[in-house]
């Protein structure tokens, strides 16, 4: 896996952790935003992994 993919996975996991901790402390709209931030981070991290294996299978 290229270094850039590892960097983006780490970045998206930081987003997910910030969203998780934000959801634990927030109320109202900020709670929903935090959950969406967590979901976005996880979704993008998994999509980086998916793109890596799709490119590997294409060769």
């Amino acid at each position: 896996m290229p270094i850039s993919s590892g960097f983006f996975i780490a970045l998206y996991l930081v987003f997910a952790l910030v969203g998780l901790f934000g959801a634990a402390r927030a109320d109202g709209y900020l709670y929903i935003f935090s959950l969406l931030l967590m979901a976005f981070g996880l979704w993008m991290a998994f999509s980086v992994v998916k793109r890596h294996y799709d490119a590997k299978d294409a060769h």
Side-chain angles (χ1 to χ4, degrees):
M1 186 175 299
I3 297 295
S4 62
S5 294
F7 170 76
F8 281 109
I9 288 173
L11 179 68
Y12 293 138
L13 290 179
V14 167
F15 286 169
L17 285 174
V18 167
L20 182 66
F21 287 125
R25 304 272 309 173
D27 291 329
Y29 291 111
L30 192 55
Y31 176 75
I32 294 171
F33 174 77
S34 297
L35 288 179
L36 290 174
L37 183 63
M38 183 187 62
F40 171 76
L42 290 175
W43 179 51
M44 290 302 292
F46 283 123
S47 73
V48 169
V49 173
K50 180 188 178 301
R51 277 185 272 150
H52 170 72
Y53 283 109
D54 287 346
K56 191 175 181 181
D57 287 343
H59 287 100

